[in-house]
Amino acid sequence: MGLEIKKIGVFTSGGDSPGMNAAIRSVVRTCAYLKIECVGIYRGYQGMIEGDFKPLDARSVNNIINKGGTILKSARCEEFRTAEGRKKAHEQLVKEGIDAFVVIGGNGSFGGALVFNEEFNFPVMGIPGTIDNDILGSTYTIGFDTAINTVVEAIDKIRDTASSHNRLFFVEVMGRDVGHIALNAGVGAGAEEILIPEQNLGLERLLDSLKRSKKSGKSSSIVIVAEGDRIGKNVFELKEYVEEHLPIYDVRVSVLGHMQRGGNPTCFDRVLASRMGVKAVESLLEGKSNYMVGIRDNNLILTPISEAIKAHTDIDKELIRVSDIMTT
Ligand code: F6P
């Protein structure tokens, strides 16, 4: 049995994602319910190093469940990568009397928590918050569902122009190293082709598919390209390549960018965040540490952080097949 936990710090780290506020709210309210103190740590690990703390009670998180972004702000912190930076952070936590923390973020943020736990034997618990859905140990990360709905809505609008002008659109979506957003939103929006980093189809196949599309009577096309895709260097080069080899196409590019990270979270993300926050606090109080809360088969599970950060989640092969069939 480790030390008794009376005060928990909570922070968001790395890229923001819709639903992070719902997760903060859940951690804070669970602490209040269980009668322990909760402290908000602002700007992720940077704020931890600087002692940027604020006590949070149940009423501090009123009316945030529906808001995108994160009330605690977020940052990607270089200083925390150094032993000196982590020492400063530990001193600040001890000074504030914080006994454990919950980090809401992605792989990079969990890696930091793991090292911190090893160095100071400090209890840590992770909640996966990233639109990329790329964390092992959870079928869904907080923010993914909202992001794919945002992308589908944007593509529906782009399709209006594509079909009115008989155009081909390359739409670039986020997903640094993975194609989950591209594949799911692509199937949901009825894209003609989906280019993802997990599958290098090659430029020839893309041209063949576009030719087939034209021949089969389609007058407009949407090709979704994950930002991490490797077949062309970027969407603009893909546009040039297709214009050169298939001049019949009138091609445009749309890069959706950070709009995918914003907006009110969907109900799915709010519920997921609420469930994960409760599980994170309860697990810490049960003496567990160094885990990430995840969801699988609709059950909350704990995965050691060391496992969760090892690799990205696999792409859904069945969905790739569905996409191939739908683009006939
Ligand atoms: O990891 C989430 C993510 O949105 C990626 O999809 C994207 O590549 C990256 O963050 C962008 O990061 P930043 O906002 O720091 O440019």
Side-chain angles (χ1 to χ4, degrees):
M1 184 67 191
L3 123 147
E4 197 193 345
I5 291 171
K6 298 200 199 86
K7 204 189 249 195
I8 291 181
V10 59
F11 61 98
T12 46
S13 169
D16 65 325
S17 68
M20 277 184 161
N21 279 327
I24 295 166
R25 172 180 178 270
S26 172
V27 169
V28 172
R29 295 239 166 121
T30 307
C31 287
Y33 179 79
L34 296 170
K35 306 213 174 342
I36 59 168
E37 288 180 72
C38 190
V39 174
I41 300 170
Y42 284 78
R43 294 175 294 121
Y45 290 115
Q46 194 60 48
M48 192 185 285
I49 289 170
E50 293 168 22
D52 195 356
F53 303 143
K54 190 176 151 198
L56 299 174
D57 63 22
R59 296 287 71 77
S60 321
V61 289
N62 284 351
N63 304 325
I64 65 165
I65 192 167
N66 55 329
K67 301 247 165 40
T70 157
I71 58 157
L72 293 177
K73 315 265 181 194
S74 196
R76 302 193 198 269
C77 174
E78 281 307 312
E79 201 181 347
F80 197 78
R81 291 181 193 277
T82 68
E84 188 52 34
R86 292 191 294 275
K87 188 166 163 280
K88 279 193 215 161
H90 185 248
E91 283 163 7
Q92 296 285 9
L93 293 175
V94 171
K95 200 164 116 198
E96 183 70 23
I98 297 174
D99 305 312
F101 69 62
V102 175
V103 47
I104 306 163
N107 269 324
S109 313
F110 293 159
L114 183 68
V115 178
F116 194 75
N117 170 270
E118 279 164 5
E119 284 176 348
F120 303 102
N121 192 25
F122 194 89
V124 302
M125 193 60 61
I127 294 181
T130 164
I131 64 164
D132 289 351
N133 205 34
D134 59 347
I135 299 183
L136 217 67
S138 195
T139 312
Y140 297 109
T141 57
I142 297 168
F144 173 65
D145 185 65
T146 307
I148 55 178
N149 278 291
T150 302
V151 172
V152 164
E153 207 183 314
I155 297 171
D156 286 350
K157 289 180 177 152
I158 290 170
R159 191 176 285 286
D160 289 345
T161 295
S163 89
S164 303
H165 289 263
N166 290 348
R167 279 178 182 163
L168 161 64
F169 267 86
F170 284 105
V171 181
E172 187 193 276
V173 301
M174 277 188 168
R176 201 178 355 225
D177 308 307
V178 290
H180 300 296
I181 295 177
L183 182 59
N184 283 270
V187 170
E192 276 65 37
E193 272 291 333
I194 303 168
L195 308 183
I196 52 177
E198 291 85 349
Q199 222 190 14
N200 190 344
L201 298 175
L203 289 167
E204 278 311 308
R205 206 209 103 141
L206 175 65
L207 291 185
D208 286 348
S209 150
L210 291 172
K211 277 183 209 154
R212 265 200 320 276
S213 240
K214 229 353 165 214
K215 235 175 152 183
S216 75
K218 286 190 184 172
S219 54
S220 64
S221 290
I222 306 271
V223 176
I224 311 289
V225 186
E227 62 177 338
D229 177 66
R230 286 182 270 273
I231 82 157
K233 271 199 191 119
N234 61 49
V235 265
F236 295 98
E237 288 187 4
L238 280 176
K239 171 184 188 288
E240 278 173 24
Y241 184 85
V242 169
E243 278 174 339
E244 195 185 316
H245 292 85
L246 287 178
I248 36 163
Y249 273 109
D250 182 14
V251 193
R252 293 292 186 277
V253 164
S254 183
V255 177
L256 298 188
H258 285 80
M259 67 169 295
Q260 296 162 90
R261 289 234 298 256
N264 301 350
T266 56
C267 182
F268 180 89
D269 276 329
R270 298 179 198 194
V271 172
L272 182 66
S274 303
R275 292 177 71 190
M276 286 183 166
V278 173
K279 179 78 175 173
V281 173
E282 286 182 345
S283 301
L284 279 171
L285 294 191
E286 282 162 15
K288 299 195 176 96
S289 168
N290 235 349
Y291 285 100
M292 181 199 78
V293 179
I295 189 154
R296 193 171 290 147
D297 300 328
N298 203 25
N299 292 313
L300 293 178
I301 52 164
L302 294 181
T303 301
I305 289 183
S306 54
E307 288 297 312
I309 62 174
K310 254 189 200 155
H312 291 308
T313 36
D314 287 337
I315 201 79
D316 184 341
K317 301 253 166 36
E318 190 249 347
L319 199 49
I320 292 185
R321 195 167 159 265
V322 169
S323 161
D324 288 345
I325 295 171
M326 289 305 111
T327 53
T328 302

